[in-house]
Amino acid sequence: MPSIPLSPAVSGLSSGNASLVLAAIFALLALIVGLLTPAVMPAVFLDEGGPVENGTIFLYLASVACVVMTRMPGLSKTDKVALCIVLLSLAAREADLHKAMFGISILKARFYNRHGSIEQIVMAVVTLLPVVLSILWLIRRGARPWWNALVSRRAPALTLMTFLVIIVLAKAFDRTPVTLVSTGLMASVPATVSTLLQSFEEIFELLLPLLVMLAVIQSVLIRTTPVSPLDAGARDWSVRVHIRRNRQNRYEPHIELEAKWGGNLQSCMIPPTTDFDTPEAGTAHALEWVAAWQRLNEQGRLE
């Protein structure tokens, strides 16, 4: 059964805007850190092996623990294993383990056509194979459901989209100084600009595992149902049911709840947990949902 936020704080976390707000906060933090380095903050703060990079590694390990310990509907054990492999590979990349093993990044083409020996290339392929297979598995299993959820503006899907955008931006900030010089736009990049770009790269990379944990939390929050009216704290509630047809010509019941939580009137949209062949089946599912809430709290009306 879908969830109902129990407080404004929980409602904020389960909102589709939560990841965007978090990204905006980290962008502001990156700007401040970049402007204050090295005048106020030491340059080592952003360097490899510094507090930001070490914090990113720790948060990736925390995100793996979060995935392992959290029961998420729709995610099989194989899905969890694949996701953990990808997260651990990101942590290893952040710790530069691949450079420590091979002397150069095995993600660069020149390792395979110039620097790496046959033995090293074979070892690199064996190292990367589980990661590649895990990514392909997650794409095969989750690409279509994720796209449908993104179109429906479900919070976990929006958070994953933010994650992908932040990865691209972090890489862009990393490559910008080299691109500016190689294209002739600048003879050399000023130290202040280079530090600012490095700040955005490192702070955005620190954000990535936090977005993973946020998506896990959101997937749980939207499926948690209060066990009693006292726990829910809802009074004078009303419900609107919308049946929408998705791109697969199936019908999704969207439930809009407006209720008094702790004396304050709040509203939220309960995303559909599944879709149906006919609008009648979707409506019946939504009415079952409303009936369950009616048993918890006899007040309210349905529209």
Side-chain angles (χ1 to χ4, degrees):
M1 187 174 291
S3 71
I4 303 298
L6 301 182
S7 70
V10 173
S11 179
L13 279 178
S14 59
S15 166
N17 295 325
S19 59
L20 297 178
V21 172
L22 191 61
I25 292 172
F26 270 69
L28 179 60
L29 178 63
L31 178 62
I32 293 172
V33 171
L35 293 176
L36 294 181
T37 304
V40 177
M41 305 183 68
V44 70
F45 185 76
L46 296 172
D47 289 343
E48 292 186 3
V52 176
E53 185 177 82
N54 290 337
T56 303
I57 297 169
F58 171 80
L59 288 176
Y60 269 122
L61 297 178
S63 69
V64 171
C66 188
V67 170
V68 170
M69 296 187 299
T70 305
R71 294 184 60 184
M72 289 177 285
L75 209 62
S76 68
K77 290 182 179 180
T78 306
D79 297 336
K80 279 193 171 187
V81 170
L83 181 55
C84 288
I85 289 174
V86 173
L87 293 174
L88 287 172
S89 70
L90 291 173
R93 176 191 172 278
E94 195 66 25
D96 290 330
L97 291 183
H98 56 311
K99 292 182 181 179
M101 292 173 60
F102 300 97
I104 185 177
S105 173
I106 59 175
L107 303 177
K108 298 183 181 298
R110 65 175 181 268
F111 170 78
Y112 299 94
N113 56 28
R114 278 190 295 174
H115 295 279
S117 63
I118 296 297
E119 293 80 4
Q120 287 179 320
I121 291 174
V122 171
M123 188 178 297
V125 171
V126 171
T127 302
L128 290 175
L129 187 60
V131 182
V132 174
L133 292 177
S134 296
I135 293 173
L136 292 176
W137 173 266
L138 292 173
I139 292 174
R140 177 180 176 275
R141 283 271 296 163
R144 178 173 293 181
W146 170 72
W147 178 254
N148 292 337
L150 186 64
V151 171
S152 301
R153 297 189 58 81
R154 301 179 198 174
L158 291 170
T159 299
L160 176 56
M161 185 66 197
T162 305
F163 178 91
L164 297 176
V165 171
I166 292 298
I167 283 183
V168 173
L169 289 176
K171 188 62 179 177
F173 286 126
D174 181 36
R175 297 296 303 169
T176 296
V178 175
T179 302
L180 290 174
V181 173
S182 62
T183 56
L185 294 175
M186 284 186 176
S188 63
V189 180
T192 53
V193 175
S194 180
T195 301
L196 189 61
L197 291 171
Q198 183 185 12
S199 177
F200 272 95
E201 177 203 352
E202 296 295 336
I203 298 296
F204 273 11
E205 288 180 347
L206 181 68
L207 170 62
L208 292 172
L210 289 175
L211 289 172
V212 173
M213 288 187 278
L214 175 61
V216 172
I217 292 170
Q218 288 172 334
S219 69
V220 173
L221 287 178
I222 65 172
R223 290 174 172 85
T224 303
T225 304
V227 297
S228 71
L230 180 62
D231 292 333
R235 296 295 182 269
D236 301 326
W237 56 272
S238 64
V239 172
R240 294 181 180 88
V241 176
H242 310 271
I243 305 296
R244 300 176 184 172
R245 187 167 63 181
N246 60 27
R247 296 194 175 190
Q248 286 70 45
N249 287 323
R250 291 175 62 82
Y251 296 89
E252 300 177 337
H254 294 251
I255 303 169
E256 183 180 359
L257 173 73
E258 187 175 83
K260 284 186 178 179
W261 305 90
N264 298 318
L265 189 65
Q266 300 181 41
S267 63
C268 62
M269 179 69 79
I270 312 304
T273 55
T274 185
D275 51 19
F276 300 88
D277 294 326
T278 64
E280 292 78 13
T283 302
H285 173 81
L287 292 177
E288 289 177 5
W289 189 95
V290 174
W293 260 92
Q294 208 161 18
R295 287 193 296 271
L296 293 178
N297 186 348
E298 294 181 356
Q299 303 178 34
R301 66 185 186 277
L302 170 67
E303 296 181 10

